[in-house]
Amino acid sequence: MDFPVLTTLIVLPMAAGVAVLLLPRRRPELALPVAIAASLLPLGASLWLLVRFETGVAGFQFVEHVNWYEPWGISYHLGVDGISLLLVVLTAFLFPISLLASTAIKDRVHLYAASMLFLEAGIIGVFLSLDLIVFFVFWEVMLVPMYFIIGVWGGGRRVYAAVKFFLFTAFGSALMLAAILSLAFVARDQLGAPTFDFVQLLGVDLTRTAQFWLFAAFGLSFAIKVPLFPLHTWLPDAHVEAPTAGSVILAGVLLKMGTYGLLRFNLTLFPEATVDLMPVMATLAVIGIVYGAVVAIVQTDIKRLVAYSSVSHLGFVVLGIFALTAQGLQGGVIQMINHGLTTGALFLLVGMIYERRHTREISQFGGLGSVMPIFAGAFLFTAFASVGLPGLNGFVGEFYVLVGSFLSLPVWAVVAATGVVLAAVYLLWAYQRMFTGPVTLEENRGLSDLNAREIVILAPIAALILFLGIYPKPALDRIEPSVDAILQRIEQTTDYRVPDFGSGAVVDLVGEHGE
Amino acid sequence: METLITLALLLPLAGFTFLAFFGTRLPEPWPGVIATTTAGLSFVLALIAGLDVIGGGTERLTVTWFEWLPALGVEASFLYDPLSVLMTLVVTGVGSLIHAYSIGYMHGDERYGRFFAYMNLFLFSMLTLVTGSNFAVLFVGWELVGLSSYLLISFWFERPTAAAAGKKAFVVNRIGDVGFLVALMLIFNTFGTLAFDAVFGEAPAALGTGLATGITLMLLLGAAGKSAQLPLYVWLPDAMEGPTPVSALIHAATMVTAGVYMVARTGILFELAPVSAGVVATVGAATALFAATIAVAQFDIKRVLAYSTISQLGYMFMGVGAAAHVAGVFHLMTHAFFKALLFLGAGSVIHGMAGQQDMRKMGGLARVMPWTFATMAVAWLAISGIPPFAGFWSKDEILAVVFGRGGGWTVLWAIGLFTALLTAFYMTRMMWMTFGGKARWDDGVHPHESPRVMVVPLAVLGVLSVVGGLINTPFKPTLEHFLEPAFEAFHVHLAHPPEGATPWVLAFVSIAAGLIGIAAATARYRSRVPDEERGAWKLLNRGYYVDDAYAAAFVVGGGAAARWAAASFDQKGIDGAVNGVARLTGAVARRLRPLQTGFVRSYAVAVLVGTVGLLAWFMTRGGF
């Protein structure tokens, strides 16, 4: 076996977390710098992974497989493919940045830094696990540090938000665990021995009814995480109360665990149910796109506004996934990455102004453009990336999703397209209220513009926003084979066929799956 | 040649990048000089490459940079055919003049460097729009000009009205963009590609009338947004909040013509959908008349010109709707000359009047601003359709083609003719109120002629407004010969003016309309400013209250709906249900507390019963 880079990716942040805990308590100022430096190691490992990843291969790479508890068919099985690769890199990329943006945390810093690093390990574990028990363990483990990050270092209603976050997710998890167990039982009946191995479970034959219920159990858990309308109400509270870094990670990678799960498990393990439920999922996604945006428009708290924009953007991801076309799936995956970058940056920016003014009320600002021109420019740049301006990253995913979903779900795609207007409304209106006009409040007059540390935090994200907008091909090339394989599997196991396009045929506007 | 096109595109982008980072640190006038240089060089390079196309060395050039969106088959690729050559030259040519003019106009502005960065960004965006060789790259330019327009309208963002106007422009444009996006989805679905060559090549065989109509109506929605046509025109008058050179370049000469360009470029699709083509022309005619009637009653000199622009764009839509693509693009070009000149002239007036834009406070400026007056007078004759000035030739060609198509098109022709009369009327009104009669200046205002860097571009545009029309007269249709291959390559059949004596008669009729308009306005405004603030005048002045109605419907109504969704539905409804479940659980738990006996055996019984029950259910109903 080659060097176990995937295990390394999980162990590094975990070990770093332990190391931070072991730092002398008398020196709290050491915790954050050590954590930041340590978090560069998994970033390096993830970049190594990115470089060594073989483009054009659909299957799992860097696979590690060790039997763990053979009687129950549990194995320590890790692997990375085009779908998880970029999510892992994104995770490893966002953690050093979030830690660097955590200088406002003064209370129990070493616990905070350790929680962040444990969280990183958990998230990377979720994206790499190919055994459902191992996956489930990481999925649950990750909840704990996140719970503390919101509940200890959060804002005024942090306990309410943390408990809400925990209960929502735990509720979903319970159902998922039941579904995982029943999958293993079915596997025992068919294969002779129980297994929790994802790759082996792909060979299990499930009835349509079984697929439906299992899809529902997995799907509910993932849909809460996404969050899919109407399961989204934990998100604004969690975001508003979480410290800046918590919001960045929450929006940047945590939500992606939901869409990743749908794509990785629901589409592959329950293909028939996927095809049956395609219009249902797409409908919820489109409601999320429009509804999230409409509700975002009238938010008075800028952090809540960005939180609702996530509901809208993640709706695009889910729509792309359940479009079941190559363009839609690729768009969904790249949109996960793009949303992580742009929304992560927006939360960082909101955090920067919060640290100066200790308020997030939009009405408390006004005219900041002349006081903090660099900050204003950075905010506007990110806002336009989020709005989906071509040339910046947000457009690529949105355009793929729209064009791709139009092939199979034209009506849904057209409704989703109205999201581009609403996104412009809520972000540009917020910008107008915060940054333009005369400076109305005395408190805002003396605010300092971004400092070097803050520019260092934002610059790498801005560079990626530009790069992925102008030249997304390297990313898309890595995603493509893996999502194609998923589509092929669905075509082989169901009577679904990816819609033919380019034949000059008149589209049936109701769509094959419209009823 | 390919390198020249690449450079012509990238120079303004380089200028933008450089000025965005270092523009604030450079002293005046260097940012302006740098930006003007990149614009001018871009023009020269485009001209050299264009001469190759004009001279017939090559009919078209294609430049491909890289593969952009693989799964959609989209490349970052540019097409340089006669139509893009003409558009590129107009954009960079007029653009360079306006850059130069701005060196003087923006003198002393706090964000001088920033202004020129944005102007260069606009040039790059517009060039991308007019040279893109597929729908996706066209859309990139389309959106980036929207961004530049947003940045430049709200350039003086400390003014709340400017900030609001910028946002309004972007949002209204985005409404049109939804149409554009849907058109792109339909096109990809139908053709499996977004490349012009493939789409236009296959369209005649592959595209049914119904689908062609759907695609083109969606494209029209996009075009109506960008080109400020009914019902999406409302952003353009507000866009006048931007600095005047911006109004001249973006909101008169170039960006707003993008919709016209797009319809001409996709001509074959409209040809396959006669209904859509008719809708384009009808929207154009209706907008032309509608906006002209509003222009008649404006007092703000820039708002007169803004409504005039909307009206003139309506003519262009009539032209391209009637498949008179050459005439439409020809009018686009002449309009770019004289409307840019009118705006820059207005800017010179505003500059000289220390920011005053109300024509009721002007008057008698001809004496103190002779150059501004003389050049604007040329533009006034050009837009009024008086030969041999530029506007006459292009407007007349459009009207002649529309008339020549007969039937219902005759109605559109009549509307166009009446609009021509109104155009002459309101432009003459504007000239008298600004330059004629007695001075009505506020105290302390001392008008003066503008500096040379502003006057020279005026003069150049003045010359172009005189002779620009001569490149495509019925006697020598040079432009038509030049542009025809571009349309032929995409299988478009151009409509032509009728033969024989008809065009002569039509020309005389439209000259007469122009003269009547001029005479009527002269009689009314030569010696006084009549009271025009009541009754019908008020209705026109407020633009039939359309803007107010939109505000009531979308801003107030939509806002209330959104607030209801956020407060009542989301917080009380969905989240209320969530919290309700939590409370219910808590209540149930309190009731169940007595069950917690502490005896392990009773728990064990409960667990056993539960497990058996579950197993039984799974076996009978689970279906595994």
Side-chain angles (χ1 to χ4, degrees):
Chain A
M1 191 199 263
D2 293 330
F3 178 68
V5 59
L6 301 186
T7 301
T8 313
L9 264 167
I10 299 170
V11 169
L12 273 177
M14 222 183 279
V18 174
V20 170
L21 283 181
L22 293 177
L23 285 173
R25 292 292 146 92
R26 289 167 287 108
R27 305 284 307 277
E29 74 280 4
L30 280 180
L32 209 51
V34 169
I36 293 168
S39 69
L40 292 175
L41 297 174
L43 176 61
S46 79
L47 292 178
W48 189 83
L49 191 70
L50 188 63
V51 173
R52 299 291 296 267
F53 186 86
E54 200 173 331
T55 312
V57 175
F60 291 103
Q61 305 185 28
F62 306 97
V63 174
E64 297 170 30
H65 195 176
V66 184
N67 281 334
W68 190 3
Y69 188 65
E70 222 160 346
W72 292 2
I74 302 175
S75 59
Y76 179 75
H77 189 179
L78 304 180
V80 66
D81 70 348
I83 296 164
S84 48
L85 173 74
L86 294 175
L87 287 166
V88 170
V89 178
L90 177 73
T91 308
F93 171 78
L94 282 179
F95 267 92
I97 288 176
S98 308
L99 285 166
L100 194 56
S102 300
T103 45
I105 305 275
K106 299 289 179 221
D107 175 39
R108 285 171 282 183
V109 190
H110 57 284
L111 282 176
Y112 169 81
S115 297
M116 286 289 281
L117 290 165
F118 291 141
L119 182 63
E120 178 174 10
I123 294 172
I124 293 180
V126 165
F127 289 136
L128 294 180
S129 302
L130 295 180
D131 181 282
L132 290 182
I133 290 295
V134 178
F135 170 81
F136 187 77
V137 168
F138 280 122
W139 178 272
E140 291 293 298
V141 157
M142 165 243 96
L143 280 182
V144 178
M146 195 66 218
Y147 174 83
F148 284 119
I149 288 170
I150 299 175
V152 176
W153 294 278
R157 292 172 73 220
R158 57 180 179 266
V159 176
Y160 169 75
V163 171
K164 196 169 176 179
F165 164 77
F166 194 91
L167 285 183
F168 256 89
T169 321
F171 173 67
S173 307
L175 288 172
M176 184 161 69
L177 181 61
I180 290 175
L181 292 176
S182 43
L183 256 181
F185 285 125
V186 179
R188 187 190 57 187
D189 292 347
Q190 291 188 10
L191 308 174
T195 181
F196 291 94
D197 191 284
F198 170 67
V199 180
Q200 288 189 42
L201 285 170
L202 288 176
V204 171
D205 199 25
L206 295 165
T207 65
R208 204 188 183 98
T209 325
Q211 287 203 18
F212 177 83
W213 289 107
L214 291 172
F215 182 104
F218 272 84
L220 187 66
S221 179
F222 295 141
I224 288 171
K225 200 67 124 200
V226 169
L228 203 58
F229 176 90
L231 304 168
H232 62 276
T233 54
W234 64 269
L235 182 75
D237 287 315
H239 268 311
V240 167
E241 301 308 330
T244 297
S247 295
V248 173
I249 296 305
L250 195 57
V253 283
L254 234 93
L255 307 185
K256 303 335 181 279
M257 290 169 36
T259 44
Y260 168 80
L262 288 170
L263 185 51
R264 170 72 79 221
F265 300 113
N266 282 43
L267 260 62
T268 53
L269 291 172
F270 323 119
E272 269 186 88
T274 302
V275 175
D276 288 345
L277 292 171
M278 183 178 164
V280 176
M281 297 300 281
T283 303
L284 293 177
V286 170
I287 292 177
I289 292 172
V290 175
Y291 179 82
V294 167
V295 175
I297 293 173
V298 289
Q299 295 305 314
T300 54
D301 179 319
I302 181 68
K303 220 170 168 186
R304 261 190 119 77
L305 187 149
V306 181
Y308 276 105
S309 86
S310 287
V311 176
S312 186
H313 281 130
L314 269 292
F316 272 105
V317 178
V318 176
L319 177 64
I321 291 174
F322 284 92
L324 300 187
T325 60
Q327 291 80 7
L329 281 166
Q330 288 184 39
V333 176
I334 196 81
Q335 172 84 348
M336 291 189 215
I337 307 301
N338 289 335
H339 175 264
L341 293 169
T342 46
T343 307
L346 280 176
F347 277 122
L348 287 168
L349 288 159
V350 171
M352 289 168 187
I353 191 69
Y354 181 79
E355 283 172 22
R356 286 167 172 74
R357 285 279 279 108
H358 298 286
T359 178
R360 293 178 302 258
E361 283 296 313
I362 293 173
S363 58
Q364 285 291 307
F365 303 106
L368 293 184
S370 45
V371 187
M372 307 171 69
I374 302 175
F375 179 69
F379 194 97
L380 196 61
F381 176 84
T382 318
F384 272 111
S386 181
V387 164
L389 188 81
L392 304 178
N393 63 349
F395 174 72
V396 179
E398 237 172 66
F399 195 56
Y400 265 57
V401 168
L402 286 175
V403 174
S405 56
F406 191 83
L407 302 177
S408 53
L409 301 161
V411 175
W412 284 259
V414 171
V415 178
T418 60
V420 305
V421 180
L422 298 169
V425 173
Y426 63 73
L427 274 172
L428 292 188
W429 192 37
Y431 182 85
Q432 182 190 345
R433 285 178 289 167
M434 288 175 68
F435 292 92
T436 68
V439 183
T440 41
L441 294 176
E442 236 9 83
E443 300 92 300
N444 294 328
R445 213 170 284 282
L447 294 179
S448 58
D449 210 340
L450 298 188
N451 59 33
R453 178 184 63 90
E454 290 166 326
I455 291 174
V456 167
I457 288 172
L458 294 171
I461 303 184
L464 279 178
I465 284 175
L466 265 177
F467 178 77
L468 287 176
I470 296 168
Y471 195 53
K473 188 173 168 356
L476 292 165
D477 281 349
R478 284 163 177 77
I479 296 167
E480 191 189 359
S482 299
V483 298
D484 281 352
I486 290 181
L487 275 184
Q488 271 171 21
R489 189 181 148 73
I490 292 175
E491 288 201 315
Q492 280 159 11
T493 49
T494 70
D495 50 11
Y496 174 81
R497 294 293 168 267
V498 175
D500 203 18
F501 60 91
S503 52
V506 178
V507 261
D508 168 14
L509 271 179
V510 181
E512 274 181 282
H513 306 276
E515 300 306 321
Chain B
M1 287 300 140
E2 282 80 2
T3 322
L4 293 185
I5 299 164
T6 297
L7 277 176
L9 273 163
L10 288 183
L11 268 170
L13 182 64
F16 160 70
T17 314
F18 178 77
L19 291 173
F21 283 104
F22 307 106
T24 45
R25 279 167 236 173
L26 288 175
E28 257 191 70
W30 290 109
V33 172
I34 291 169
T36 310
T37 311
T38 57
L41 275 177
S42 183
F43 173 74
V44 172
L45 296 173
L47 185 63
I48 298 171
L51 284 174
D52 203 46
V53 179
I54 295 168
T58 36
E59 215 154 70
R60 56 199 307 219
L61 296 162
T62 313
V63 188
T64 303
W65 286 355
F66 53 85
E67 202 179 0
W68 185 38
L69 304 172
L72 306 180
V74 169
E75 293 178 323
S77 162
F78 303 89
L79 168 70
Y80 211 54
D81 73 343
L83 182 56
S84 353
V85 171
L86 181 78
M87 292 299 295
T88 305
L89 292 180
V90 169
V91 169
T92 52
V94 177
S96 306
L97 291 171
I98 295 176
H99 272 72
Y101 173 95
S102 307
I103 295 178
Y105 190 88
M106 296 306 288
H107 169 72
D109 195 276
E110 237 185 302
R111 289 187 291 272
Y112 189 84
R114 185 75 62 82
F115 179 82
F116 285 97
Y118 292 164
M119 289 290 270
N120 260 355
L121 174 65
F122 168 74
L123 270 193
F124 166 73
S125 316
M126 192 68 198
L127 291 178
T128 308
L129 196 164
V130 298
T131 57
S133 81
N134 57 58
F135 281 99
V137 176
L138 170 63
F139 190 67
V140 174
W142 192 266
E143 291 292 289
L144 287 182
V145 294
L147 166 72
S148 328
S149 165
Y150 167 83
L151 293 171
L152 283 163
I153 293 171
S154 46
F155 182 73
W156 288 315
F157 62 79
E158 289 90 346
R159 300 209 303 235
T161 46
K167 184 201 64 189
K168 181 172 173 182
F170 195 85
V171 170
V172 174
N173 266 293
R174 276 248 148 170
I175 295 173
D177 292 347
V178 173
F180 201 143
L181 276 171
V182 173
L184 296 193
M185 300 185 226
L186 278 163
I187 289 169
F188 185 79
N189 193 327
T190 314
F191 299 97
T193 173
L194 294 170
F196 288 157
D197 276 331
V199 172
F200 300 150
E202 289 170 26
L207 204 57
T209 312
L211 190 53
T213 308
I215 292 175
T216 44
L217 285 179
M218 288 294 117
L219 286 176
L220 172 62
L221 184 59
K226 197 62 73 192
S227 290
Q229 297 293 290
L230 284 171
L232 297 177
Y233 70 97
V234 286
W235 63 271
L236 187 64
D238 290 19
M240 297 302 125
E241 289 288 339
T244 303
V246 171
S247 312
L249 177 60
I250 300 182
H251 305 114
T254 55
M255 183 191 86
V256 287
T257 64
V260 181
Y261 164 79
M262 194 249 273
V263 175
R265 181 54 94 194
T266 58
I268 180 63
L269 303 181
F270 283 90
E271 193 172 312
L272 294 168
V275 174
S276 303
V279 174
V280 172
T282 309
V283 166
T287 310
L289 177 64
F290 176 81
T293 58
I294 299 175
V296 162
Q298 299 304 311
F299 296 112
D300 182 322
I301 186 169
K302 285 184 73 178
R303 286 183 87 86
V304 176
L305 294 176
Y307 281 107
S308 162
T309 302
I310 298 173
S311 174
Q312 295 293 313
L313 288 164
Y315 276 113
M316 297 175 213
F317 269 63
M318 272 168 83
V320 292
H325 298 302
V326 173
V329 173
F330 179 34
H331 194 56
L332 183 164
M333 183 191 87
T334 58
H335 177 260
F337 298 151
F338 62 70
K339 189 52 67 65
L341 174 51
L342 284 168
F343 265 111
L344 294 187
S348 178
V349 168
I350 296 165
H351 193 74
M353 296 286 295
Q356 182 59 261
Q357 298 187 193
D358 190 336
M359 297 190 296
R360 286 169 294 192
K361 305 253 170 97
M362 295 180 184
L365 289 173
R367 273 162 287 123
V368 284
M369 307 179 84
W371 277 101
T372 305
F373 170 66
T375 50
M376 274 185 90
V378 170
W380 158 61
L381 292 171
I383 194 175
S384 303
I386 305 300
F389 297 95
F392 165 75
W393 303 104
S394 51
K395 181 161 71 185
D396 220 51
E397 195 183 334
I398 292 175
L399 289 177
V401 177
V402 170
F403 183 85
R405 295 201 46 171
W409 293 85
T410 316
V411 178
L412 300 186
W413 169 82
I415 294 174
L417 184 71
F418 181 62
T419 305
L421 189 153
L422 284 177
T423 308
F425 180 88
Y426 68 70
M427 288 310 298
T428 311
R429 171 178 178 268
M430 184 196 90
M431 291 302 284
W432 278 114
M433 286 179 81
T434 310
F435 294 104
K438 285 198 238 357
R440 301 178 297 275
W441 312 332
D442 278 338
D443 294 338
V445 172
H446 304 289
H448 53 84
E449 184 59 280
S450 296
R452 185 159 303 162
V453 70
M454 290 168 68
V455 171
V456 170
L458 290 179
V460 175
L461 286 168
V463 173
L464 289 170
S465 300
V466 179
V467 302
L470 300 178
I471 76 165
N472 201 44
T473 62
F475 317 109
K476 200 173 185 311
T478 316
L479 185 70
E480 179 145 352
H481 290 315
F482 170 58
L483 286 179
E484 248 172 357
F487 292 106
E488 273 166 13
F490 289 145
H491 320 285
V492 178
H493 301 89
L494 292 169
H496 295 282
E499 305 282 324
T502 322
W504 289 91
V505 178
L506 293 175
F508 280 116
V509 173
S510 82
I511 295 169
L515 290 175
I516 294 171
I518 292 176
T522 305
R524 185 172 167 87
Y525 300 99
R526 186 176 52 178
S527 51
R528 69 204 170 98
V529 178
D531 178 18
E532 294 178 342
E533 289 169 38
R534 264 179 287 281
W537 286 100
K538 177 103 191 267
L539 177 70
L540 296 179
N541 180 269
R542 298 299 304 270
Y544 303 97
Y545 295 94
V546 172
D547 219 14
D548 306 71
Y550 280 5
F554 298 110
V555 181
V556 179
R563 267 186 294 278
W564 176 82
S568 303
F569 188 74
D570 205 61
Q571 293 239 295
K572 295 213 182 76
I574 300 179
D575 208 28
V578 168
N579 288 333
V581 169
R583 268 196 302 278
L584 185 70
T585 315
V588 170
R590 274 189 293 282
R591 292 284 169 75
L592 292 181
R593 197 173 291 159
L595 288 180
Q596 217 161 10
T597 53
F599 293 113
V600 177
R601 61 173 180 275
S602 59
Y603 292 164
V605 170
V607 168
L608 186 69
V609 169
T611 313
V612 169
L614 269 176
L615 277 176
W617 187 82
F618 268 115
M619 280 154 135
T620 54
R621 300 294 314 278
F624 295 128

